[in-house]
Amino acid sequence: MTDSKYFTTTKKGEIFELKAELNSDKKEKKKEAVKKVIASMTVGKDVSALFPDVVNCMQTDNLELKKLVYLYLMNYAKSQPDMAIMAVNTFVKDCEDPNPLIRALAVRTMGCIRVDKITEYLCEPLRKCLKDEDPYVRKTAAVCVAKLHDINAQLVEDQGFLDTLKDLISDSNPMVVANAVAALSEIAESHPNSNLLDLNPQTINKLLTALNECTEWGQIFILDCLANYTPRDDRESQSICERVTPRLSHANSAVVLSAVKVLMKFMEMLPKDLDYYGTLLKKLAPPLVTLLSAEPELQYVALRNINLIVQKRPEILKHEMKVFFVKYNDPIYVKLEKLDIMIRLASQANIAQVLAELKEYATEVDVDFVRKAVRAIGRCAIKVEQSAERCVSTLLDLIQTKVNYVVQEAIVVIKDIFRKYPNKYESVIATLCENLDSLDEPEARAAMIWIVGEYAERIDNADELLESFLEGFHDESTQVQLQLLTAIVKLFLKKPTETQELVQQVLSLATQDSDNPDLRDRGYIYWRLLSTDPVAAKEVVLAEKPLISEETDLIEPTLLDELICHIGTLASVYHKPPSAFVEGSRGVQHKRLPARAGSGESAESPEVGQSGTSEAPPAVIPSQGDLLGDLLNLDLAPATTTVPSVQPSMQMGAMDLLGGGLDSLMGDESDTPGVSHRTEMQSPQPSSDYSERELGGDIGGSPSMGAALGAPAAMPAALSNAPAVGGGLGDLFDLGGGVGMPTGFYVAPKTLFLPAMKAKGLEISGTFARRGGIIQMDLSLTNKAMSVMTDFAIQFNRNSFGLAPAGPLQVLTPLTPNQTIDVSLPLGTTGPVMKMEPLNNLQVAVKNNIDVFYFSCQYPLSLLFVEDGKMERQVFLATWKDIPNDNEAQFQIKDVHLNSDAASNKLQGSNIFTIAKRTVDAQDMLYQSIKLTNGIWVLAEMRVQTGNPNYTLSIKCRAPEVSQFVYQCYELVLKN
Amino acid sequence: MIGGLFIYNHKGEVLISRVYRDDIGRNAVDAFRVNVIHARQQVRSPVTNIARTSFFHVKRSNIWLAAVTKQNVNAAMVFEFLYKMCDVMTAYFGKISEENIKNNFVLIYELLDEILDFGYPQNSETGALKTFITQQGIKSQHLTKEEQSQITSQVTGQIGWRREGIKYRRNELFLDVLESVNLLMSPQGQVLSAHVSGRVVMKSYLSGMPECKFGMNDKIVIDKQGKGGTTDDTGKSGKQSIAIDDCTFHQCVRLSKFDSERSISFIPPDGEYELMRYRTTKDIILPFRVIPLVREVGRTKLEVKVVIKSNFKPSLLAQKIEVRIPTPLNTSGVQVICMKGKAKYKASENAIVWKIKRMVGMKESQISAEIELLPTNDKKKWARPPISMNFEVPFAPSGLKVRYLKVFEPKLNYSDHDVIKWVRYIGRSGIYETRC
């Protein structure tokens, strides 16, 4: 019996013939005809005209024919609603059939017919089937509720089907339970706020029991549902984990991934020092590796997920580098993903192997793969410092192959390496210059031009090289044009005599002949700068650049946490939240990881002592944008906490630019001429990897100029706010408060900031202190050179909290050889603001009669804790609740041998104020508040167990990135 | 959940189209054809998003299976389902081909109706499905009431993979330990990565509902027993046990029991199925070692010499040995000399294929070839793909040994001793490559 013949006929008059056959008396002929109809339907022909004839065949005891007719009905009922009613009777009758397979078939099909009138008739049979004696019918009916809900949600609620469905979770048959869970999960998803899937320990227990017994698919439904549950405490979380781990050995990869999702999520709640936590971490690695021996499509899904897991918990797979090595026959999508993970796992320990592999890959056939491999070599160099040299030589080898795209890619990454390790590998420039002609991609051209400009003094024919690019200036892409402009200006500043003509040419090309506003603006700025004050121009354009950071393509943490909650699903494959690709209400709700252990408790208020509402309402979940906004607030508005919470990032870039950079560029030259404001005007066109950090600096690189002109209103406000902070009045007040302190501010011993080697004999060591509300930088300057040093001056680069010298560096007498002078430099917090990495990094320039020297150091955040940081109790309670749980960070302070009162006293000396204390079960809980100079509040809960030298500290703050540094202050203060 | 499922032939013509969800429109069928099957570029991902609709596809020979959805579905589940769908179809009508699909399209629609409801996968065990969906049409209309309820309880039950009342005159079972050994070796003979992925496949012809227990030389189990104090075993087993990195089991195995006691107990499906899969990376016996030597003589000539050494007991015999030595694209002619077997240059595959029928352990053999090259202007160097090998050996390269498989059937009167058991080990090459 071959059915393929049904696919063949395509002659005219076919419909007519079919009609005749459908109405034939012979059963066999009828069946044949229906098959033909279905075949036509499949290939996309419209056979809806046959509707009445096909429906007529429905009244049959032949099950095969019946199924075919049902199939037809499901396809066309919507287009012929009136006639579809004809079928209702048969359905209702079939739902009463003694054969459970037929009852189930009827209820299954009926749910697929999306005609309002039919759904009304469906309710009664469905109600019966939900309580049917046969589990096969019940499991089918459970899904049917979800179908009906999709057609008419109101009807389902009115008819009470949801309650019946909930009851099925306690059904004796595991498959019925699984389908009920699936249906409920789906319905709950479209009603994010309904408490439909009312998960409590009892239902969870039922689900975990069913988990052991149902089919592989049912296990997936149940695990996915479990992942939405938030256990009440770490103990419950552990017991669920224990019952889920056996699933990691299931043959079905989807079961494994869903189990991993549950474990990854619930692990968040386990204390890290728990033995079980370590055991669990170890158990996760093998199944993840096993997923890589699945079929390629599944490998792809697994790899996309592993990419997330490695970012969230790198310790799980850190020893498994080898399994991610690319096989020659892997499909390209598997290869590319493996490469990504290899770079993430690269470390000093395995770098040699990784590099050897990457070098192999760079000779493969697939262009995208090769490019990515070359790029990966560059990223290794930046990530693992010890490997940089080997990476560079590997890249040079690759350049020698002369394969066009390999060379271009290599040049792009070498530019990044130069930025990470300045003055180390410039010897390769000559080799790079040889390949100038073969570069045809904008990114590679721009990178090369940047290199030529940056190192113009070491390249003899730099002017010729740049001139050759200038010939086709208008045909270049914007990226290249901008770079060329900057490079030629750099060249001019370095070799002014020979290149005057060149610079004039490029400035006129950029300003007069270009339509591109970015290019024009950058051109004008250079032009004015050069014509007003060439010295200042030099300082600006040739200033030292900050080093680039290593991890550049990490997923933003909030998004990462959300994606971890979606392991195994499409969201984890796309690395996008479901709202980005799902229409309508489904999936709009953001999922979050549960807070770490004890947070349920710490969310309790000191007085109220009753939790219940530890979950923040979903409305305040910080989206990516908000986070950015917060961050910018932190930088921007030192005095006020009431700045609107979301500020467009563009505006920020622009403001900074005009507020800090331009002022000093255009105006006051009187300021210490040896030190520059490091606006990053000369930076290479930022590759998107690290554009974020350059947001505030790069003048022409981002469209910030345009935005600045468009949004001037916000600027004066922010600027005028700034000087108010930490001014005289505040200081006076602080001074008063500071006198009565039980213990003083802890001052760390001086550390070496600048070795004499790097500063022509000037050695600087120092530390920071806060004395009576005044921030001071204590410096020891030692002259280890042979000659006398004079004319000291100091300047800070923009930093996270606007620290800036409040007075000149008081070195009055010349510093003779082998002499040391101690000076105290008062600092203010009204300087220009730019977020630094790490947050408390401070870049300093010191000038003397010999040269200008740069160093960077890190200050304790406690420097910025102000004296009026004691919060009202009520305000504390409200604020604690108001800050989303996501922002909470927990730390352990080990080996502190103080009781809680002594600790509290000590902390107060550093302006960490204890607001309330509560004692529960020999455990003291201290609630503390801190206020930073820029008005940010930090709330903390410190738990001290009598006799236990380890404290637990939970920190909540609207700007969570400060938490870690606050913790460091606690450590410092308590241990000294 | 899955919104629809389509099957296409290589030209992109639809063979099967079943839509489960209202959010999937008619145009989805065409969207996939236009954007993926007819795409100019090679497929870059098995998941494609076209106009906010996600398509998952797998390919079997030249047939495309695509699942469609507009929701945030469990992607791993969708692919597992597509593979399962292929398995089910193969179990029903053999090879997945255009011809077979067209011949069985009614059956496929029936199956799709049964194993996927509103996009949720349901029971997809062929053993259960075959009890009521057959190629001769549907069976259930002539069934007695008991038979019907037996079917439904099997489909939904805890032991969905086995029906009650199976009887054999001779109780018999076959165990096959099938391993594929994977290797990536550097030209200098350094093992870059090696692992064995193995499967234990069981054919069971047992009466009733037998309870089985499977034991192997798993290091964890042996060590545990060793501690327990059985003196005679410890000395030997120390060497013979193997460390299993990870294993996964057929759904009949009680996973929680494995997790707690590491014992493998189950009621097996009837007939052939895969009991477990495992992976090992430690102490792997590499059956063959390939030693390549490539020398470029000027721009138009390559000299290749490859030695293979067999590294197992001389009493054992490896079969179906094939060594594949890639040649550059601009090869114009090849001369080969080999001591053993037959070697041929296959221009269409850009490789020299050297075949040896049999080879005993601890032997070596050699091939040398001269490759003439056409001069080209192509600047790009030849990528030198690795030399790959295929073979089959009658032992398990991981060292895995089956210790026992006990059968208990308390209700019927046969005991473990009455069951005839067969065990066989086959080691095959997976991706067994040596870079040159």
Side-chain angles (χ1 to χ4, degrees):
Chain A
M1 168 183 112
T2 63
D3 286 350
S4 55
K5 60 174 184 277
Y6 302 116
F7 282 88
T8 49
T9 49
T10 42
K11 53 181 187 282
K12 276 204 171 172
E14 186 193 4
I15 299 275
F16 191 73
E17 264 176 45
L18 279 173
K19 210 177 177 88
E21 285 175 39
L22 283 170
N23 291 319
S24 146
D25 296 334
K26 286 180 195 143
K27 270 189 187 171
E28 245 346 272
K29 201 151 196 183
K30 255 189 187 177
K31 202 160 119 185
E32 296 282 287
V34 176
K35 279 189 184 178
K36 274 184 207 162
V37 173
I38 300 289
S40 314
M41 188 176 88
T42 298
V43 296
K45 267 183 249 167
D46 184 12
V47 282
S48 60
L50 297 166
F51 200 88
D53 310 281
V54 177
V55 171
N56 270 338
C57 303
M58 198 168 155
Q59 293 281 4
T60 171
D61 48 2
N62 183 316
L63 197 52
E64 191 183 9
L65 181 57
K66 187 170 250 170
K67 280 193 175 181
L68 289 173
V69 175
Y70 281 179
L71 190 64
Y72 179 89
L73 262 178
M74 286 187 267
N75 259 299
Y76 288 114
K78 227 174 151 188
S79 58
Q80 313 252 348
D82 292 328
M83 281 201 262
I85 294 293
M86 290 160 61
V88 166
N89 265 337
T90 326
F91 281 126
V92 175
K93 214 176 89 198
D94 279 356
C95 284
E96 305 276 335
D97 198 279
N99 185 340
L101 293 169
I102 292 184
R103 290 204 297 277
L105 175 66
V107 77
R108 185 165 65 213
T109 314
M110 232 171 143
C112 295
I113 296 176
R114 304 176 62 92
V115 175
D116 279 338
K117 283 177 199 153
I118 289 201
T119 45
E120 283 165 33
Y121 292 100
L122 178 60
C123 291
E124 275 325 298
L126 177 59
R127 199 185 313 283
K128 257 185 224 160
C129 288
L130 279 167
K131 303 226 157 104
D132 200 288
E133 50 166 22
D134 195 295
Y136 184 77
V137 180
R138 289 202 301 278
K139 71 109 182 160
T140 313
V143 177
C144 190
V145 176
K147 292 178 188 168
L148 193 57
H149 186 271
D150 193 37
I151 306 169
N152 189 342
Q154 198 54 46
L155 185 71
V156 171
E157 278 163 45
D158 295 347
Q159 296 276 335
F161 284 137
L162 294 181
D163 294 322
T164 326
L165 202 53
K166 277 190 209 168
D167 293 342
L168 288 183
I169 289 190
S170 315
D171 199 282
S172 59
N173 184 292
M175 193 155 177
V176 178
V177 178
N179 276 4
V181 166
L184 276 173
S185 303
E186 176 167 343
I187 296 171
E189 219 173 277
S190 54
H191 294 270
N193 294 319
S194 73
N195 204 13
L196 195 57
L197 254 175
D198 176 28
L199 295 175
N200 53 49
Q202 286 76 44
T203 43
I204 292 293
N205 199 30
K206 278 175 200 156
L207 294 186
L208 286 168
T209 313
L211 185 61
N212 287 326
E213 293 164 352
C214 60
T215 65
E216 45 195 333
W217 314 115
Q219 296 186 17
I220 299 169
F221 307 154
I222 291 177
L223 287 168
D224 284 351
C225 173
L226 271 179
N228 290 326
Y229 176 63
T230 312
R232 287 169 312 166
D233 52 31
D234 48 338
R235 211 165 308 148
E236 191 188 1
S237 168
Q238 178 176 349
S239 85
I240 296 176
C241 286
E242 278 166 357
R243 293 178 70 177
V244 168
T245 34
R247 299 298 119 197
L248 293 176
S249 308
H250 203 286
N252 187 313
S253 310
V255 175
V256 177
L257 266 180
S258 291
V260 168
K261 165 165 58 190
V262 174
L263 296 174
M264 281 292 285
K265 198 177 166 191
F266 289 8
M267 233 164 129
E268 281 293 306
M269 293 190 66
L270 300 177
K272 280 197 170 172
D273 45 359
L274 196 71
D275 283 348
Y276 181 70
Y277 179 84
T279 323
L280 200 54
L281 272 185
K282 270 189 215 125
K283 277 195 175 172
L284 277 172
L288 288 175
V289 174
T290 299
L291 291 176
L292 298 185
S293 44
E295 289 85 344
E297 293 87 2
L298 265 175
Q299 276 187 51
Y300 174 73
V301 174
L303 285 165
R304 293 292 285 175
N305 279 287
I306 289 172
N307 199 328
L308 298 173
I309 293 169
V310 166
Q311 287 183 57
K312 182 73 191 166
R313 297 194 180 279
E315 62 271 32
I316 295 178
L317 289 166
K318 66 178 174 210
H319 298 303
E320 303 288 353
M321 170 63 88
K322 275 191 179 178
V323 297
F324 297 103
F325 284 178
V326 169
K327 295 188 188 120
Y328 190 74
N329 291 326
D330 280 337
I332 181 67
Y333 49 81
V334 169
K335 284 183 176 173
L336 291 172
E337 292 306 317
K338 280 187 173 173
L339 199 51
D340 234 17
I341 294 168
M342 278 173 69
I343 304 165
R344 292 203 194 287
L345 291 177
S347 67
Q348 205 186 331
N350 55 27
I351 194 74
Q353 267 183 319
V354 174
L355 265 184
E357 280 292 310
L358 291 177
K359 201 176 170 184
E360 286 289 333
Y361 305 162
T363 58
E364 283 227 25
V365 188
D366 190 284
V367 178
D368 284 350
F369 181 59
V370 171
R371 282 172 180 275
K372 202 164 179 176
V374 175
R375 223 162 252 240
I377 297 175
R379 276 172 64 187
C380 283
I382 290 165
K383 194 172 173 196
V384 186
E385 188 166 356
Q386 292 80 355
S387 75
E389 197 162 342
R390 245 180 307 175
C391 294
V392 171
S393 79
T394 309
L395 287 169
L396 283 181
D397 288 351
L398 290 172
I399 288 177
Q400 298 304 345
T401 62
K402 304 274 176 199
V403 179
N404 187 286
Y405 52 84
V406 174
V407 174
Q408 308 210 40
E409 211 59 45
I411 285 179
V412 172
V413 295
I414 286 181
K415 178 207 73 188
D416 287 350
I417 294 176
F418 283 169
R419 290 233 23 214
K420 170 80 180 177
Y421 308 107
N423 298 319
K424 245 179 143 175
Y425 301 111
E426 282 75 6
S427 53
V428 307
I429 290 176
T431 322
L432 303 186
C433 289
E434 287 166 18
N435 292 287
L436 214 58
D437 301 335
S438 63
L439 309 179
D440 51 12
E441 289 160 21
E443 206 185 348
R445 284 172 85 84
M448 192 64 220
I449 292 171
W450 181 83
I451 292 172
V452 174
E454 184 68 18
Y455 300 100
E457 69 274 24
R458 310 184 196 199
I459 304 169
D460 293 338
N461 59 345
D463 50 340
E464 284 168 34
L465 294 177
L466 291 176
E467 199 172 358
S468 70
F469 280 108
L470 204 55
E471 280 161 18
F473 189 77
H474 287 298
D475 303 328
E476 301 282 4
S477 72
T478 315
Q479 191 183 10
V480 181
Q481 290 176 334
L482 285 166
Q483 209 49 68
L484 195 53
L485 171 61
T486 305
I488 292 180
V489 173
K490 280 185 194 168
L491 174 70
F492 171 69
L493 289 168
K494 288 175 178 175
K495 302 179 179 174
T497 45
E498 311 112 83
T499 56
Q500 206 148 11
E501 211 170 299
L502 196 60
V503 80
Q504 261 160 9
Q505 205 181 337
V506 76
L507 285 175
S508 91
L509 278 171
T511 53
Q512 284 159 24
D513 302 342
S514 170
D515 306 334
N516 186 317
D518 280 346
L519 186 63
R520 231 169 29 216
D521 288 347
R522 195 189 276 202
Y524 277 126
I525 287 178
Y526 283 139
W527 200 322
R528 284 178 199 149
L529 205 49
L530 291 172
S531 54
T532 338
D533 184 356
V535 182
K538 199 162 184 173
E539 284 157 27
V540 171
V541 179
L542 301 180
E544 192 182 331
K545 283 157 292 297
L547 301 180
I548 59 171
S549 69
E550 41 191 72
E551 287 293 347
T552 46
D553 59 341
L554 292 177
I555 295 176
E556 193 272 317
T558 1
L559 177 62
L560 180 61
D561 282 358
E562 191 182 347
L563 293 180
I564 290 285
C565 299
H566 288 292
I567 284 179
T569 68
L570 263 182
S572 71
V573 174
Y574 292 148
H575 289 184
K576 282 180 193 158
S579 51
F581 59 91
V582 176
E583 281 166 12
S585 58
R586 281 180 214 281
V588 169
Q589 197 181 13
H590 290 276
K591 294 192 181 181
R592 289 180 299 153
L593 287 177
R596 195 159 277 301
S599 70
E601 257 173 283
S602 58
E604 291 174 18
S605 49
E607 313 291 301
V608 181
Q610 179 234 34
S611 77
T613 51
S614 63
E615 280 293 304
V620 294
I621 297 165
S623 73
Q624 207 173 341
D626 286 347
L627 192 89
L628 196 67
D630 274 350
L631 233 138
L632 295 175
N633 273 338
L634 178 116
D635 293 351
L636 236 192
T640 47
T641 44
T642 50
V643 172
S645 68
V646 181
Q647 288 222 328
S649 55
M650 282 307 152
Q651 207 173 314
M652 162 64 192
M655 222 177 294
D656 238 12
L657 194 86
L658 297 180
L662 262 195
D663 274 357
S664 48
L665 288 185
M666 301 296 190
D668 54 65
E669 311 142 273
S670 60
D671 225 329
T672 48
V675 186
S676 67
H677 295 267
R678 272 174 243 147
T679 18
E680 248 200 293
M681 187 188 265
Q682 76 296 355
S683 75
Q685 183 67 25
S687 71
S688 59
D689 286 340
Y690 43 90
S691 61
E692 196 189 334
R693 60 185 309 287
E694 295 190 9
L695 201 72
D698 193 90
I699 286 192
S702 66
S704 54
M705 281 305 274
L709 300 174
M715 268 184 284
L719 289 175
S720 63
N721 265 336
V725 219
L729 206 69
D731 282 354
L732 257 171
F733 172 77
D734 289 346
L735 203 68
V739 175
M741 291 298 161
T743 47
F745 178 87
Y746 164 70
V747 181
K750 283 184 180 167
T751 50
L752 185 66
F753 285 157
L754 182 69
M757 291 280 289
K758 282 195 177 167
K760 302 188 179 157
L762 176 66
E763 185 179 277
I764 303 179
S765 58
T767 183
F768 295 88
R770 187 179 180 93
R771 296 191 183 97
I774 295 172
I775 305 171
Q776 288 180 322
M777 186 179 192
D778 296 344
L779 294 171
S780 295
L781 310 178
T782 309
N783 184 351
K784 297 204 166 171
M786 302 302 286
S787 58
V788 177
M789 294 178 182
T790 55
D791 301 339
F792 284 94
I794 193 163
Q795 188 106 6
F796 293 174
N797 191 12
R798 292 191 286 167
N799 53 68
S800 313
F801 295 92
L803 279 176
L809 189 63
Q810 302 279 349
V811 186
L812 301 172
T813 49
L815 195 59
T816 50
N818 276 327
Q819 189 197 0
T820 300
I821 289 188
D822 288 340
V823 281
S824 231
L825 180 71
L827 305 182
T829 51
T830 50
V833 169
M834 178 172 80
K835 196 186 172 211
M836 299 299 290
E837 191 61 49
L839 207 60
N840 60 346
N841 197 18
L842 182 66
Q843 295 176 336
V844 182
V846 170
K847 183 195 87 105
N848 62 11
N849 58 332
I850 297 167
D851 204 341
V852 182
F853 311 108
Y854 303 95
F855 64 88
S856 70
C857 53
Q858 294 180 3
Y859 49 90
L861 211 65
S862 52
L863 217 54
L864 307 163
F865 297 175
V866 297
E867 276 69 17
D868 61 342
K870 188 157 185 170
M871 217 180 212
E872 285 292 314
R873 282 190 178 200
Q874 292 311 316
V875 182
F876 183 92
L877 286 182
T879 316
W880 184 277
K881 275 194 201 160
D882 198 37
I883 298 178
N885 281 344
D886 279 354
N887 286 8
E888 183 173 332
Q890 198 174 58
F891 305 95
Q892 290 281 335
I893 309 174
K894 292 200 169 142
D895 292 312
V896 189
H897 299 281
L898 294 170
N899 67 19
S900 57
D901 290 335
S904 163
N905 258 339
K906 225 173 173 184
L907 290 169
Q908 189 153 358
S910 296
N911 295 341
I912 301 173
F913 298 97
T914 304
I915 292 169
K917 179 179 155 183
R918 196 159 63 105
T919 309
V920 180
D921 301 339
Q923 180 166 272
D924 290 337
M925 312 230 199
L926 301 177
Y927 295 88
Q928 298 168 326
S929 73
I930 299 164
K931 188 179 166 188
L932 301 184
T933 47
N934 58 359
I936 288 185
W937 284 93
V938 181
L939 309 188
E941 181 210 61
M942 189 164 80
R943 281 187 281 168
V944 182
Q945 189 112 33
T946 323
N948 183 350
N950 298 342
Y951 294 179
T952 311
L953 181 70
S954 307
I955 297 178
K956 256 190 166 184
C957 179
R958 290 200 192 278
E961 51 280 309
V962 306
S963 301
Q964 193 201 341
F965 300 97
V966 173
Y967 156 68
Q968 285 170 4
C969 296
Y970 268 84
E971 278 260 0
L972 268 176
V973 173
L974 288 174
K975 290 192 178 168
N976 291 290
Chain B
M1 281 307 112
I2 298 174
L5 202 141
F6 309 129
I7 302 180
Y8 303 84
N9 67 8
H10 67 285
K11 285 185 256 173
E13 292 165 351
V14 195
L15 304 177
I16 298 286
S17 139
R18 175 78 161 90
V19 174
Y20 293 93
R21 296 265 173 161
D22 203 38
D23 53 6
I24 301 302
R26 284 252 143 230
N27 47 4
V29 192
D30 302 320
F32 182 77
R33 175 185 27 243
V34 173
N35 289 290
V36 180
I37 302 182
H38 290 170
R40 279 203 206 119
Q41 260 205 328
Q42 189 198 352
V43 182
R44 303 304 272 195
S45 159
V47 185
T48 322
N49 193 317
I50 306 162
R52 288 171 93 81
T53 309
S54 299
F55 293 83
F56 300 75
H57 74 265
V58 300
K59 236 185 134 181
R60 287 287 178 274
S61 59
N62 53 14
I63 299 294
W64 299 74
L65 276 89
V68 200
T69 184
K70 282 208 158 183
Q71 297 170 25
N72 182 30
V73 296
N74 187 321
M77 185 189 78
V78 175
F79 280 122
E80 282 285 2
F81 176 79
L82 288 175
Y83 302 144
K84 194 73 182 191
M85 178 74 205
C86 294
D87 291 349
V88 170
M89 288 196 290
T90 315
Y92 269 96
F93 51 75
K95 194 170 167 273
I96 296 178
S97 64
E98 182 172 351
E99 189 63 25
N100 279 345
I101 288 173
K102 280 186 170 172
N103 279 336
N104 292 284
F105 83 98
V106 174
L107 170 76
I108 294 173
Y109 276 123
E110 265 180 48
L111 286 171
L112 281 176
D113 198 40
E114 187 58 44
I115 60 180
L116 209 53
D117 190 3
F118 201 40
Y120 290 105
Q122 304 292 306
N123 193 330
S124 48
E125 285 299 310
T126 25
L129 290 171
K130 278 191 172 171
T131 56
F132 65 106
I133 297 179
T134 67
Q135 270 166 298
Q136 280 72 48
I138 290 134
K139 241 163 90 180
S140 66
Q141 48 200 317
H142 313 295
L143 296 175
T144 64
K145 205 156 182 214
E146 287 87 70
E147 282 172 315
Q148 284 168 4
S149 74
Q150 203 193 329
I151 289 172
T152 58
S153 78
Q154 198 202 330
V155 173
T156 60
Q158 288 186 27
I159 307 168
W161 53 87
R162 188 180 181 93
R163 65 190 168 89
E164 302 234 17
I166 296 172
K167 278 209 182 68
Y168 287 102
R169 217 148 48 89
R170 212 158 90 119
N171 288 298
E172 204 170 12
L173 65 85
F174 300 84
L175 272 181
D176 281 346
V177 176
L178 305 171
E179 293 197 338
S180 85
V181 50
N182 298 278
L183 170 76
L184 184 61
M185 196 177 253
S186 75
Q188 292 77 33
Q190 188 194 358
V191 176
L192 296 174
S193 73
H195 74 272
V196 167
S197 55
R199 306 185 297 142
V200 177
V201 176
M202 183 170 171
K203 265 179 249 168
S204 71
Y205 304 104
L206 301 169
S207 311
M209 293 300 253
E211 177 72 46
C212 298
K213 210 172 158 184
F214 175 67
M216 55 192 177
N217 56 343
D218 176 3
K219 194 160 186 295
I220 296 174
V221 177
I222 305 260
D223 287 356
K224 223 194 273 174
Q225 286 173 350
K227 272 184 209 142
T230 45
T231 44
D232 56 330
D233 254 13
T234 38
K236 283 188 288 178
S237 60
K239 258 186 251 160
Q240 287 176 355
S241 64
I242 62 160
I244 293 177
D245 287 26
D246 189 36
C247 44
T248 58
F249 296 98
H250 186 266
Q251 56 168 321
C252 68
V253 175
R254 294 180 189 93
L255 293 180
S256 38
K257 213 160 177 188
F258 178 75
D259 193 57
S260 56
E261 304 162 25
R262 221 173 159 86
S263 76
I264 303 166
S265 61
F266 53 97
I267 295 171
D270 194 39
E272 184 171 339
Y273 74 102
E274 189 178 284
L275 175 64
M276 72 177 283
R277 278 177 187 235
Y278 56 92
R279 183 166 50 81
T280 72
T281 45
K282 286 201 189 72
D283 302 323
I284 294 168
I285 306 158
L286 296 172
F288 284 95
R289 163 94 204 270
V290 177
I291 305 158
L293 204 78
V294 181
R295 210 160 66 92
E296 287 175 38
V297 188
R299 292 196 57 120
T300 56
K301 204 169 144 191
L302 271 182
E303 280 179 12
V304 181
K305 198 173 103 176
V306 176
V307 180
I308 60 168
K309 284 186 179 167
S310 59
N311 177 34
F312 44 86
K313 272 191 255 168
S315 58
L316 298 175
L317 195 66
Q319 295 185 71
K320 300 177 191 165
I321 301 152
E322 186 185 293
V323 182
R324 187 170 282 267
I325 305 162
T327 55
L329 297 176
N330 54 337
T331 302
S332 58
V334 175
Q335 270 109 47
V336 268
I337 312 159
C338 57
M339 302 181 342
K340 206 162 181 266
K342 278 181 192 157
K344 224 185 206 169
Y345 166 62
K346 293 198 173 167
S348 58
E349 296 166 37
N350 286 313
I352 301 167
V353 180
W354 176 26
K355 287 184 179 171
I356 305 170
K357 276 194 184 136
R358 280 178 211 90
M359 187 161 169
V360 295
M362 305 316 270
K363 275 263 162 35
E364 65 172 76
S365 188
Q366 185 185 329
I367 183 172
S368 33
E370 275 185 26
I371 302 169
E372 309 267 349
L373 303 176
L374 290 170
T376 58
N377 298 324
D378 197 1
K379 265 192 194 160
K380 196 171 172 245
K381 245 177 71 183
W382 178 48
R384 284 207 188 178
I387 296 176
S388 59
M389 234 195 124
N390 289 312
F391 54 79
E392 198 179 296
V393 289
F395 60 89
S398 70
L400 182 130
K401 290 258 158 35
V402 176
R403 289 171 61 224
Y404 57 79
L405 198 146
K406 292 177 194 150
V407 182
F408 311 94
E409 170 51 0
K411 285 185 196 150
L412 300 176
N413 56 348
Y414 71 94
S415 77
D416 187 39
H417 297 293
D418 305 328
V419 181
I420 304 160
K421 301 168 188 170
W422 306 86
V423 183
R424 178 167 66 157
Y425 299 90
I426 300 174
R428 289 197 185 99
S429 51
I431 295 165
Y432 203 86
E433 295 177 336
T434 307
R435 289 189 179 147
C436 56

